[in-house]
Amino acid sequence: MNIVPLAYPQKGSAKKTGYWRIFRPKINYEKCIKCMICWLYCPEGSISIINNKPVIDYDYCKGCGICANECPVKAIEMVKE
Ligand code: SF4
Ligand code: SF4
């Protein structure tokens, strides 16, 4: 089952906002327990659940780090672009 955010990131006047990013969230799927907390907290709607795992849309992720901060098992690392 695929779960997508209620609010979709879309091209607006700022176009794709992923290029604003300085740090990129990287998911370690070995550690991920598929709790979907990152999906719930992402303020940009940039995380979808695809085939029961979180997938980040780097076209719109702004690299705020909230997902990494909220992940209960620290499966998301912020790495410099
Ligand atoms: S870094 Fe921020 S914008 Fe990017 S996926 Fe995580 S919570 Fe969403
Ligand atoms: S919050 Fe962490 S453990 Fe939960 S789905 Fe996201 S990456 Fe996986």
Side-chain angles (χ1 to χ4, degrees), residues 27-28 31-39 47 49 53-54 67 70-76:
I27 299 174
N28 179 342
K31 285 171 91 176
C32 174
I33 56 171
K34 302 175 177 70
C35 66
M36 303 184 195
I37 286 176
C38 55
W39 170 77
I47 301 178
I49 304 296
K53 65 179 191 180
C67 55
E70 297 298 332
C71 175
V73 295
K74 299 297 170 207
I76 305 177

Side-chain angles (χ1 to χ4, degrees), residues 11-51:
K11 267 195 224 172
S13 54
K15 307 277 185 341
K16 291 183 177 178
T17 49
Y19 73 92
W20 295 5
R21 218 173 31 239
I22 297 171
F23 287 92
R24 159 186 297 246
K26 193 175 156 201
I27 299 174
N28 179 342
Y29 289 108
E30 303 276 314
K31 285 171 91 176
C32 174
I33 56 171
K34 302 175 177 70
C35 66
M36 303 184 195
I37 286 176
C38 55
W39 170 77
L40 275 174
Y41 275 86
C42 175
E44 303 298 330
S46 297
I47 301 178
S48 297
I49 304 296
I50 299 173
N51 295 327

Side-chain angles (χ1 to χ4, degrees), residues 50-68:
I50 299 173
N51 295 327
N52 291 322
K53 65 179 191 180
V55 176
I56 296 168
D57 181 346
Y58 290 112
D59 280 347
Y60 295 98
C61 162
K62 291 177 182 158
C64 67
I66 290 173
C67 55

